[in-house]
Coordinates of all heavy atoms in Angstrom, one line a residue:
M1 N -7.3 -18.5 -34.6 CA -6.7 -19.4 -33.5 C -6.2 -18.6 -32.4 O -6.4 -18.9 -31.2 CB -5.7 -20.3 -34.1 CG -5.1 -21.2 -33.2 SD -6.3 -22.5 -32.8 CE -5.3 -23.7 -32.0
K2 N -5.5 -17.5 -32.7 CA -4.9 -16.6 -31.6 C -6.1 -16.0 -30.9 O -5.9 -15.7 -29.7 CB -4.0 -15.6 -32.2 CG -2.7 -16.2 -32.8 CD -1.8 -15.1 -33.3 CE -0.6 -15.7 -33.9 NZ 0.3 -14.7 -34.4
L3 N -7.1 -15.6 -31.5 CA -8.3 -15.0 -30.9 C -8.9 -15.9 -29.8 O -9.3 -15.4 -28.7 CB -9.3 -14.5 -31.9 CG -10.5 -13.7 -31.4 CD1 -10.0 -12.4 -30.7 CD2 -11.5 -13.5 -32.5
K4 N -9.0 -17.2 -30.2 CA -9.6 -18.1 -29.2 C -8.7 -18.3 -28.0 O -9.3 -18.5 -26.9 CB -9.8 -19.5 -29.9 CG -10.9 -19.6 -30.8 CD -11.1 -21.0 -31.3 CE -12.4 -21.1 -32.2 NZ -12.6 -22.4 -32.6
T5 N -7.4 -18.2 -28.1 CA -6.6 -18.3 -26.9 C -6.5 -17.0 -26.1 O -6.4 -17.1 -24.9 CB -5.1 -18.7 -27.3 OG1 -4.9 -18.5 -28.7 CG2 -4.8 -20.1 -26.9
A6 N -6.6 -15.9 -26.8 CA -6.5 -14.6 -26.1 C -7.8 -14.2 -25.4 O -7.8 -13.5 -24.4 CB -6.1 -13.5 -27.0
L7 N -8.9 -14.7 -25.9 CA -10.2 -14.2 -25.4 C -10.4 -14.6 -23.9 O -10.9 -13.8 -23.1 CB -11.3 -14.8 -26.3 CG -12.7 -14.3 -26.0 CD1 -12.8 -12.8 -26.1 CD2 -13.8 -15.0 -26.9
P8 N -10.1 -15.8 -23.5 CA -10.3 -16.2 -22.1 C -9.4 -15.3 -21.1 O -9.9 -14.9 -20.1 CB -9.9 -17.6 -21.9 CG -10.0 -18.2 -23.3 CD -9.7 -17.0 -24.2
Y9 N -8.2 -15.0 -21.6 CA -7.4 -14.1 -20.8 C -7.9 -12.7 -20.7 O -7.9 -12.1 -19.6 CB -5.9 -14.1 -21.3 CG -5.3 -15.5 -21.2 CD1 -5.0 -16.2 -22.4 CD2 -5.0 -16.0 -20.0 CE1 -4.4 -17.4 -22.3 CE2 -4.4 -17.2 -19.9 CZ -4.1 -17.9 -21.0 OH -3.5 -19.2 -20.9
V10 N -8.4 -12.2 -21.7 CA -9.0 -10.8 -21.7 C -10.2 -10.8 -20.8 O -10.4 -9.9 -20.1 CB -9.4 -10.4 -23.2 CG1 -10.2 -9.1 -23.2 CG2 -8.1 -10.2 -24.0
L11 N -11.1 -11.8 -20.9 CA -12.3 -11.9 -20.1 C -11.9 -12.0 -18.6 O -12.6 -11.6 -17.7 CB -13.2 -13.1 -20.5 CG -13.8 -12.9 -21.9 CD1 -14.6 -14.2 -22.3 CD2 -14.7 -11.7 -21.9
L12 N -10.8 -12.7 -18.3 CA -10.3 -12.8 -16.9 C -9.8 -11.5 -16.4 O -10.0 -11.1 -15.3 CB -9.3 -13.9 -16.8 CG -8.7 -14.1 -15.5 CD1 -9.7 -14.6 -14.5 CD2 -7.5 -15.1 -15.5
L13 N -9.0 -10.8 -17.2 CA -8.3 -9.6 -16.8 C -9.2 -8.3 -16.7 O -9.0 -7.4 -16.0 CB -7.1 -9.3 -17.7 CG -6.0 -10.3 -17.5 CD1 -4.9 -10.0 -18.5 CD2 -5.4 -10.3 -16.1
L14 N -10.3 -8.3 -17.5 CA -11.2 -7.2 -17.6 C -11.8 -6.8 -16.2 O -11.7 -5.7 -15.8 CB -12.2 -7.4 -18.7 CG -13.0 -6.2 -19.1 CD1 -12.2 -5.1 -19.6 CD2 -14.1 -6.5 -20.1
P15 N -12.4 -7.8 -15.5 CA -12.9 -7.4 -14.2 C -11.9 -7.0 -13.2 O -12.1 -6.1 -12.4 CB -13.6 -8.7 -13.7 CG -13.8 -9.5 -15.0 CD -12.7 -9.2 -15.9
L16 N -10.7 -7.6 -13.3 CA -9.6 -7.2 -12.4 C -9.2 -5.8 -12.6 O -8.9 -5.0 -11.7 CB -8.4 -8.2 -12.5 CG -8.7 -9.6 -12.0 CD1 -7.5 -10.5 -12.3 CD2 -9.0 -9.6 -10.6
A17 N -9.1 -5.4 -13.9 CA -8.7 -4.0 -14.2 C -9.8 -3.0 -13.7 O -9.4 -1.9 -13.3 CB -8.5 -3.9 -15.7
A18 N -11.0 -3.4 -13.8 CA -12.1 -2.5 -13.3 C -12.0 -2.3 -11.8 O -12.2 -1.2 -11.3 CB -13.4 -3.1 -13.7
F19 N -11.6 -3.3 -11.0 CA -11.5 -3.2 -9.6 C -10.2 -2.4 -9.2 O -10.2 -1.7 -8.2 CB -11.5 -4.5 -8.9 CG -12.9 -5.1 -8.8 CD1 -13.2 -6.3 -9.5 CD2 -13.9 -4.5 -8.1 CE1 -14.4 -6.9 -9.4 CE2 -15.2 -5.0 -8.0 CZ -15.4 -6.2 -8.7
A20 N -9.2 -2.5 -10.0 CA -7.9 -1.9 -9.7 C -8.0 -0.4 -10.0 O -7.2 0.4 -9.5 CB -6.8 -2.5 -10.4
A21 N -8.8 0.0 -10.9 CA -8.9 1.4 -11.3 C -9.5 2.3 -10.1 O -10.4 1.9 -9.4 CB -9.8 1.6 -12.5
P22 N -8.9 3.5 -9.9 CA -9.4 4.3 -8.8 C -10.8 4.8 -9.2 O -11.1 5.2 -10.3 CB -8.4 5.5 -8.7 CG -7.7 5.5 -10.1 CD -7.8 4.1 -10.6
G23 N -11.7 4.9 -8.2 CA -13.0 5.3 -8.4 C -13.2 6.8 -7.9 O -12.4 7.2 -7.0
S24 N -14.1 7.4 -8.4 CA -14.4 8.8 -7.9 C -15.1 8.7 -6.6 O -16.1 8.0 -6.4 CB -15.3 9.5 -8.9 OG -15.8 10.7 -8.4
Q25 N -14.6 9.5 -5.6 CA -15.2 9.5 -4.2 C -15.9 10.8 -4.0 O -16.1 11.1 -2.8 CB -14.1 9.2 -3.2 CG -13.5 7.8 -3.3 CD -14.4 6.7 -2.9 OE1 -15.3 6.9 -2.0 NE2 -14.3 5.6 -3.5
S26 N -16.3 11.5 -5.0 CA -17.0 12.8 -4.8 C -16.2 13.8 -4.0 O -16.8 14.5 -3.1 CB -18.4 12.6 -4.2 OG -19.1 11.7 -5.0
G27 N -14.9 13.8 -4.1 CA -14.1 14.7 -3.3 C -13.9 14.4 -1.9 O -13.4 15.2 -1.1
E28 N -14.2 13.2 -1.5 CA -14.1 12.7 -0.1 C -12.6 12.2 0.2 O -12.0 11.6 -0.7 CB -15.0 11.6 0.2 CG -16.5 12.0 0.2 CD -17.4 10.8 0.5 OE1 -16.9 9.8 0.9 OE2 -18.6 11.0 0.3
I29 N -12.2 12.5 1.4 CA -10.9 12.0 1.8 C -11.2 11.0 3.0 O -11.9 11.4 3.9 CB -9.9 13.1 2.3 CG1 -9.6 14.0 1.1 CG2 -8.6 12.5 2.8 CD1 -8.8 15.2 1.5
R30 N -10.7 9.8 2.9 CA -11.0 8.9 4.0 C -9.7 8.4 4.6 O -8.7 8.2 3.9 CB -11.7 7.6 3.4 CG -13.1 8.0 2.8 CD -13.8 6.8 2.2 NE -15.0 7.2 1.6 CZ -16.2 6.7 1.8 NH1 -16.3 5.7 2.6 NH2 -17.2 7.1 1.2
F31 N -9.8 8.2 5.9 CA -8.6 7.8 6.7 C -9.0 6.5 7.4 O -10.2 6.3 7.8 CB -8.2 8.8 7.7 CG -7.7 10.1 7.1 CD1 -8.6 11.2 7.0 CD2 -6.4 10.3 6.7 CE1 -8.2 12.4 6.4 CE2 -6.0 11.4 6.1 CZ -6.9 12.5 6.0
T32 N -8.1 5.6 7.6 CA -8.3 4.5 8.4 C -7.3 4.4 9.5 O -6.2 5.0 9.4 CB -8.1 3.2 7.6 OG1 -6.8 3.2 7.0 CG2 -9.2 3.1 6.5
G33 N -7.6 3.8 10.6 CA -6.7 3.8 11.8 C -7.5 4.1 13.0 O -8.7 3.9 13.1
Q34 N -6.7 4.5 14.0 CA -7.4 4.8 15.3 C -6.7 6.0 15.9 O -5.5 6.3 15.6 CB -7.3 3.6 16.2 CG -5.9 3.2 16.6 CD -5.8 1.9 17.4 OE1 -6.8 1.2 17.4 NE2 -4.7 1.7 18.0
I35 N -7.4 6.7 16.8 CA -6.8 7.8 17.5 C -6.2 7.3 18.7 O -6.8 6.6 19.6 CB -7.9 8.8 17.9 CG1 -8.6 9.4 16.6 CG2 -7.4 9.9 18.8 CD1 -9.7 10.3 16.9
V36 N -4.9 7.5 18.9 CA -4.1 7.0 20.0 C -4.2 7.8 21.2 O -4.5 7.4 22.3 CB -2.6 6.8 19.6 CG1 -1.8 6.3 20.7 CG2 -2.5 5.9 18.4
N37 N -4.1 9.1 21.0 CA -4.2 10.1 22.1 C -5.3 11.1 21.8 O -5.3 11.6 20.6 CB -2.9 10.8 22.4 CG -1.9 10.0 23.0 OD1 -2.1 9.1 23.8 ND2 -0.6 10.2 22.6
S38 N -6.2 11.4 22.7 CA -7.2 12.4 22.4 C -6.6 13.7 22.5 O -5.5 13.9 23.1 CB -8.3 12.3 23.4 OG -7.8 12.4 24.7
G39 N -7.2 14.7 21.8 CA -6.6 16.0 21.7 C -6.7 16.8 23.0 O -7.4 16.3 24.0
C40 N -6.1 17.9 23.1 CA -6.1 18.8 24.3 C -7.1 19.9 24.1 O -7.0 20.6 23.1 CB -4.7 19.4 24.5 SG -3.4 18.2 24.3
A41 N -8.0 20.0 25.0 CA -8.9 21.1 25.0 C -8.2 22.4 25.5 O -7.5 22.4 26.5 CB -10.1 20.9 25.9
V42 N -8.3 23.5 24.7 CA -7.7 24.7 25.1 C -8.8 25.8 25.1 O -9.6 25.9 24.2 CB -6.6 25.1 24.0 CG1 -6.0 26.5 24.4 CG2 -5.6 24.0 23.9
A43 N -8.8 26.6 26.1 CA -9.8 27.7 26.3 C -9.2 28.8 27.1 O -8.1 28.7 27.6 CB -11.1 27.1 26.9
R44 N -10.0 29.9 27.2 CA -9.5 31.0 28.0 C -9.5 30.5 29.5 O -10.2 29.6 29.9 CB -10.4 32.2 27.8 CG -11.9 32.0 28.2 CD -12.7 33.3 28.0 NE -14.1 33.0 28.0 CZ -14.8 32.8 29.1 NH1 -14.2 32.9 30.3 NH2 -16.1 32.5 29.1
V45 N -8.7 31.2 30.3 CA -8.6 30.8 31.7 C -9.9 30.8 32.4 O -10.6 31.8 32.3 CB -7.5 31.7 32.4 CG1 -7.5 31.4 33.9 CG2 -6.2 31.5 31.7
G46 N -10.3 29.8 33.1 CA -11.5 29.7 33.8 C -12.7 29.1 33.0 O -13.7 28.8 33.6
A47 N -12.5 28.9 31.7 CA -13.6 28.4 30.9 C -13.7 26.8 30.9 O -14.8 26.3 30.7 CB -13.4 28.8 29.5
L48 N -12.6 26.1 31.2 CA -12.6 24.7 31.2 C -13.2 24.2 32.6 O -12.9 24.7 33.6 CB -11.2 24.1 31.0 CG -10.6 24.3 29.6 CD1 -9.2 23.8 29.6 CD2 -11.5 23.7 28.6
S49 N -13.9 23.1 32.5 CA -14.4 22.5 33.8 C -13.6 21.2 34.0 O -14.2 20.2 34.5 CB -15.9 22.3 33.7 OG -16.2 21.4 32.6
A50 N -12.4 21.1 33.5 CA -11.7 19.8 33.6 C -11.1 19.6 35.0 O -10.9 20.6 35.7 CB -10.5 19.9 32.6
A51 N -11.0 18.4 35.4 CA -10.4 18.1 36.7 C -9.0 18.5 36.8 O -8.5 19.0 37.9 CB -10.5 16.6 37.0
Q52 N -8.2 18.4 35.7 CA -6.8 18.8 35.7 C -6.6 19.7 34.5 O -7.0 19.4 33.4 CB -5.9 17.5 35.6 CG -6.0 16.6 36.7 CD -5.1 15.4 36.5 OE1 -4.5 15.2 35.5 NE2 -5.1 14.5 37.5
S53 N -5.9 20.8 34.8 CA -5.6 21.7 33.7 C -4.3 22.5 34.0 O -3.8 22.4 35.1 CB -6.8 22.7 33.5 OG -6.9 23.5 34.6
R54 N -3.8 23.1 33.0 CA -2.5 23.8 33.1 C -2.7 25.1 32.4 O -3.2 25.2 31.3 CB -1.5 22.9 32.5 CG -0.1 23.5 32.4 CD 0.8 22.4 31.8 NE 2.0 23.0 31.3 CZ 2.9 22.3 30.6 NH1 2.7 21.0 30.4 NH2 4.0 22.8 30.2
Q55 N -2.1 26.2 33.0 CA -2.2 27.5 32.3 C -0.9 27.7 31.5 O 0.2 27.4 32.0 CB -2.3 28.6 33.3 CG -3.7 28.7 33.9 CD -3.9 29.9 34.8 OE1 -3.1 30.8 34.9 NE2 -5.0 30.0 35.5
V56 N -1.0 28.2 30.3 CA 0.1 28.5 29.4 C 0.1 29.9 29.0 O -1.0 30.4 28.6 CB 0.1 27.5 28.2 CG1 1.2 27.8 27.3 CG2 0.1 26.1 28.6
E57 N 1.2 30.6 29.1 CA 1.2 32.0 28.7 C 1.7 32.1 27.3 O 2.8 31.6 27.0 CB 2.2 32.8 29.7 CG 2.1 34.3 29.5 CD 2.8 35.0 30.6 OE1 3.8 34.5 31.1 OE2 2.4 36.2 30.8
I58 N 0.9 32.6 26.4 CA 1.2 32.7 25.0 C 2.1 33.9 24.8 O 3.1 33.9 24.0 CB 0.0 32.8 24.1 CG1 -0.8 31.5 24.3 CG2 0.3 33.0 22.7 CD1 -2.2 31.6 23.6
K59 N 1.8 35.0 25.4 CA 2.6 36.2 25.3 C 2.4 36.9 26.7 O 1.4 36.6 27.4 CB 2.1 37.1 24.2 CG 0.8 37.8 24.3 CD 0.5 38.8 23.2 CE -0.6 39.7 23.7 NZ -0.3 41.1 23.4
P60 N 3.2 37.9 27.1 CA 3.0 38.5 28.4 C 1.6 39.1 28.5 O 1.1 39.8 27.7 CB 4.1 39.6 28.3 CG 5.1 39.1 27.4 CD 4.4 38.3 26.4
G61 N 0.9 38.6 29.6 CA -0.4 39.1 29.9 C -1.5 38.3 29.2 O -2.7 38.5 29.4
L62 N -1.2 37.3 28.4 CA -2.2 36.5 27.7 C -2.0 35.0 28.0 O -1.0 34.4 27.6 CB -2.2 36.7 26.2 CG -3.1 35.8 25.4 CD1 -4.6 36.2 25.7 CD2 -2.9 36.0 23.9
K63 N -2.9 34.4 28.8 CA -2.8 33.0 29.2 C -4.0 32.3 28.7 O -5.1 32.8 28.6 CB -2.7 32.9 30.8 CG -1.4 33.4 31.4 CD -1.4 33.2 32.8 CE -0.2 33.8 33.4 NZ -0.1 33.6 34.9
V64 N -3.8 31.0 28.4 CA -4.9 30.1 28.1 C -4.8 28.9 29.0 O -3.7 28.6 29.6 CB -4.9 29.6 26.6 CG1 -5.1 30.8 25.7 CG2 -3.6 28.9 26.3
E65 N -5.9 28.2 29.2 CA -5.9 27.0 30.0 C -6.0 25.7 29.1 O -6.8 25.7 28.2 CB -7.1 27.1 30.9 CG -7.1 26.1 32.1 CD -8.2 26.4 33.1 OE1 -9.2 27.0 32.7 OE2 -8.0 26.0 34.2
V66 N -5.1 24.8 29.4 CA -5.1 23.5 28.6 C -5.5 22.4 29.5 O -5.0 22.2 30.6 CB -3.6 23.3 28.1 CG1 -3.5 22.0 27.3 CG2 -3.1 24.5 27.3
D67 N -6.5 21.6 29.0 CA -6.9 20.4 29.7 C -5.9 19.3 29.7 O -5.4 19.0 28.6 CB -8.2 19.9 29.1 CG -8.8 18.6 29.7 OD1 -8.3 18.2 30.7 OD2 -9.7 18.0 29.1
T68 N -5.5 18.8 30.8 CA -4.4 17.8 30.8 C -4.9 16.5 31.4 O -4.1 15.6 31.9 CB -3.2 18.3 31.7 OG1 -3.7 18.6 33.0 CG2 -2.6 19.5 31.1
D69 N -6.2 16.3 31.5 CA -6.8 15.1 32.1 C -6.9 13.9 31.1 O -7.8 14.0 30.2 CB -8.2 15.4 32.7 CG -8.7 14.3 33.5 OD1 -8.0 13.5 34.0 OD2 -10.0 14.2 33.7
R70 N -6.1 13.0 31.2 CA -6.1 11.7 30.3 C -6.2 12.1 28.8 O -7.0 11.6 28.1 CB -7.3 10.9 30.7 CG -7.1 10.2 32.1 CD -8.2 9.3 32.3 NE -9.5 10.0 32.3 CZ -10.4 10.0 33.2 NH1 -10.3 9.3 34.3 NH2 -11.5 10.7 33.1
N71 N -5.3 12.9 28.3 CA -5.2 13.2 26.9 C -3.7 13.4 26.5 O -2.8 13.1 27.3 CB -6.1 14.4 26.5 CG -5.7 15.6 27.3 OD1 -4.6 15.9 27.6 ND2 -6.7 16.5 27.5
A72 N -3.5 13.9 25.3 CA -2.2 14.0 24.8 C -1.4 15.1 25.6 O -0.1 15.1 25.5 CB -2.2 14.4 23.3
C73 N -2.0 16.0 26.3 CA -1.3 17.0 27.1 C -1.1 16.6 28.5 O -0.6 17.4 29.3 CB -2.1 18.3 27.0 SG -2.0 19.1 25.4
G74 N -1.4 15.4 28.9 CA -1.1 14.9 30.2 C 0.3 14.5 30.4 O 1.1 14.6 29.5
H75 N 0.7 14.2 31.7 CA 2.0 13.8 32.1 C 3.1 14.8 31.7 O 4.1 14.5 31.2 CB 2.4 12.4 31.4 CG 1.4 11.4 31.7 ND1 1.1 10.9 33.0 CD2 0.5 10.7 30.9 CE1 0.2 10.0 32.9 NE2 -0.2 9.9 31.7
Q76 N 2.8 16.1 31.9 CA 3.7 17.2 31.7 C 4.1 17.4 30.3 O 5.1 18.2 30.0 CB 5.0 17.0 32.6 CG 4.7 17.0 34.1 CD 4.1 18.4 34.6 OE1 4.4 19.4 34.1 NE2 3.1 18.3 35.4
S77 N 3.5 16.7 29.3 CA 3.9 16.9 27.9 C 2.9 17.9 27.3 O 1.8 18.0 27.7 CB 3.8 15.6 27.1 OG 2.5 15.1 27.1
L78 N 3.4 18.7 26.4 CA 2.5 19.7 25.7 C 2.9 19.6 24.2 O 3.7 20.4 23.7 CB 2.8 21.1 26.3 CG 1.8 22.1 26.0 CD1 0.4 21.7 26.6 CD2 2.2 23.5 26.6
P79 N 2.2 18.7 23.5 CA 2.6 18.5 22.1 C 1.9 19.5 21.1 O 1.5 19.1 20.1 CB 2.0 17.0 21.8 CG 0.9 16.9 22.7 CD 1.2 17.7 24.0
I80 N 1.8 20.7 21.6 CA 1.1 21.7 20.8 C 2.0 23.0 20.9 O 2.7 23.2 21.9 CB -0.3 22.1 21.3 CG1 -0.3 22.5 22.7 CG2 -1.2 20.9 21.0 CD1 -1.7 22.9 23.2
S81 N 1.9 23.8 19.9 CA 2.5 25.1 19.9 C 1.4 26.1 19.7 O 0.5 25.9 18.9 CB 3.7 25.3 18.9 OG 3.1 25.2 17.6
M82 N 1.5 27.3 20.3 CA 0.5 28.3 20.2 C 1.2 29.6 19.9 O 2.2 29.9 20.3 CB -0.3 28.4 21.5 CG -1.1 27.2 21.9 SD -2.0 27.4 23.4 CE -0.9 26.6 24.5
S83 N 0.5 30.4 19.0 CA 0.9 31.7 18.7 C -0.3 32.7 18.7 O -1.4 32.2 18.5 CB 1.6 31.7 17.3 OG 0.7 31.4 16.3
Y84 N 0.0 33.9 18.9 CA -1.0 34.9 19.0 C -0.7 36.0 17.9 O 0.4 36.5 17.8 CB -1.0 35.6 20.4 CG -2.0 36.7 20.5 CD1 -3.4 36.5 20.7 CD2 -1.5 38.0 20.5 CE1 -4.2 37.6 20.8 CE2 -2.4 39.1 20.6 CZ -3.7 38.9 20.8 OH -4.6 39.9 20.9
E85 N -1.8 36.4 17.2 CA -1.6 37.5 16.2 C -2.7 38.5 16.5 O -3.9 38.2 16.5 CB -1.8 37.0 14.8 CG -1.6 38.0 13.8 CD -1.8 37.5 12.4 OE1 -1.7 36.2 12.2 OE2 -2.0 38.3 11.4
A86 N -2.3 39.7 16.9 CA -3.3 40.8 17.2 C -4.0 41.2 16.0 O -3.5 41.2 14.9 CB -2.6 42.0 17.8
L87 N -5.3 41.5 16.2 CA -6.1 42.0 15.1 C -5.8 43.5 14.8 O -5.6 44.2 15.8 CB -7.6 41.9 15.4 CG -8.2 40.4 15.4 CD1 -9.6 40.5 15.8 CD2 -8.0 39.8 14.1
K88 N -5.8 43.9 13.6 CA -5.4 45.3 13.3 C -6.6 46.2 13.7 O -6.3 47.4 13.9 CB -5.2 45.4 11.8 CG -3.9 44.6 11.3 CD -3.7 44.7 9.8 CE -2.5 43.9 9.5 NZ -2.3 43.9 8.0
T89 N -7.8 45.7 13.8 CA -8.9 46.5 14.1 C -9.1 46.7 15.6 O -10.0 47.5 16.0 CB -10.2 46.0 13.5 OG1 -10.4 44.6 14.0 CG2 -10.1 45.9 12.0
S90 N -8.4 46.0 16.4 CA -8.6 46.1 17.9 C -7.3 46.0 18.6 O -6.3 45.3 18.1 CB -9.5 44.9 18.3 OG -9.7 44.9 19.7
T91 N -7.2 46.6 19.8 CA -6.0 46.5 20.5 C -6.0 45.4 21.5 O -4.9 45.0 22.0 CB -5.8 47.8 21.3 OG1 -6.9 48.1 22.1 CG2 -5.6 49.0 20.4
D92 N -7.1 44.9 21.9 CA -7.2 43.8 22.9 C -7.7 42.5 22.3 O -8.0 41.5 23.1 CB -8.0 44.2 24.1 CG -9.5 44.5 23.7 OD1 -9.7 44.7 22.5 OD2 -10.3 44.5 24.6
K93 N -7.9 42.3 21.0 CA -8.4 41.1 20.5 C -7.4 40.6 19.4 O -6.7 41.3 18.8 CB -9.8 41.3 19.8 CG -10.9 41.6 20.8 CD -12.2 41.8 20.2 CE -13.2 42.2 21.2 NZ -14.5 42.5 20.6
G94 N -7.4 39.2 19.3 CA -6.5 38.6 18.3 C -6.9 37.2 18.0 O -7.9 36.7 18.5
I95 N -6.0 36.5 17.3 CA -6.2 35.2 16.9 C -5.2 34.3 17.5 O -4.0 34.6 17.3 CB -6.2 35.0 15.3 CG1 -7.3 35.9 14.7 CG2 -6.3 33.6 14.9 CD1 -7.2 36.0 13.2
V96 N -5.6 33.2 18.2 CA -4.7 32.3 18.8 C -4.7 31.1 17.9 O -5.7 30.5 17.6 CB -5.1 31.9 20.2 CG1 -4.2 30.8 20.7 CG2 -5.1 33.1 21.1
T97 N -3.5 30.7 17.4 CA -3.3 29.5 16.5 C -2.7 28.4 17.3 O -1.6 28.6 17.8 CB -2.5 29.9 15.2 OG1 -3.1 31.0 14.6 CG2 -2.4 28.7 14.3
I98 N -3.4 27.3 17.3 CA -2.9 26.1 18.0 C -2.5 25.0 17.0 O -3.3 24.6 16.2 CB -3.9 25.6 19.0 CG1 -4.3 26.7 20.0 CG2 -3.4 24.3 19.7 CD1 -5.6 26.4 20.8
T99 N -1.2 24.6 17.1 CA -0.7 23.6 16.1 C -0.3 22.4 16.9 O 0.6 22.5 17.8 CB 0.4 24.2 15.3 OG1 0.0 25.4 14.7 CG2 0.8 23.2 14.2
Y100 N -0.8 21.2 16.5 CA -0.3 19.9 17.1 C 1.0 19.5 16.5 O 1.2 19.6 15.2 CB -1.3 18.8 17.0 CG -2.4 18.9 18.0 CD1 -3.5 19.7 17.8 CD2 -2.3 18.2 19.2 CE1 -4.5 19.7 18.7 CE2 -3.3 18.2 20.1 CZ -4.4 19.0 19.9 OH -5.4 19.1 20.8
L101 N 2.0 19.1 17.2 CA 3.3 18.8 16.7 C 3.4 17.3 16.3 O 2.6 16.5 16.8 CB 4.4 19.0 17.8 CG 4.4 20.5 18.3 CD1 5.4 20.6 19.4 CD2 4.7 21.4 17.2

C-alpha cells in the first residue's frame, strides 16, 4: 500500500531532480549580461587612429596612448592601472600590464 502512494511522488520528483543537477559543460564558463562600457584601446604613442586619445606616462620616458573616444576611458576618467616591468634580457624592452579597476 505504501509503495502505491509513494510511486507517483517518486515519478514526479525524478525528472525535476535530473534538471536541477548540474551538467557538464566541457570546461566552459558562460556569462550572461551586457557590456556597459567598451574597453579602452591602449597602444604605443602614434599607433592609434582614434579621434580622441590621451597620453599616459607609465614611467619616466615611457608613454602610451589611450583611446578616449566613447568608451570607459572617456570624460577624463581612466579606470585602468598600468605597470611596466623591464625584461632582464634587454635594456629597452619590457612588459606593460594593464588592469581594469
Side-chain angles (χ1 to χ4, degrees):
M1 181 71 168
K2 289 183 183 179
L3 184 62
K4 281 186 176 183
T5 16
L7 190 59
Y9 294 112
V10 170
L11 293 175
L12 176 67
L13 293 176
L14 191 61
L16 293 176
F19 284 116
S24 172
Q25 295 292 326
S26 303
E28 294 178 10
I29 298 175
R30 296 178 186 233
F31 297 96
T32 57
Q34 62 188 19
I35 297 174
V36 178
N37 291 322
S38 58
C40 312
V42 179
R44 61 181 166 77
V45 174
L48 292 177
S49 61
Q52 296 178 358
S53 63
R54 174 176 162 185
Q55 288 188 8
V56 177
E57 190 169 30
I58 298 175
K59 70 172 200 135
L62 178 64
K63 292 182 180 180
V64 294
E65 195 168 25
V66 179
D67 176 12
T68 59
D69 188 26
R70 291 184 301 231
N71 60 31
C73 289
H75 307 294
Q76 298 299 321
S77 65
L78 198 61
I80 56 177
S81 66
M82 293 181 265
S83 64
Y84 174 80
E85 183 180 344
L87 292 176
K88 294 177 183 176
T89 58
S90 176
T91 57
D92 63 341
K93 293 182 182 174
I95 298 171
V96 175
T97 304
I98 303 167
T99 307
Y100 280 85
L101 306 174

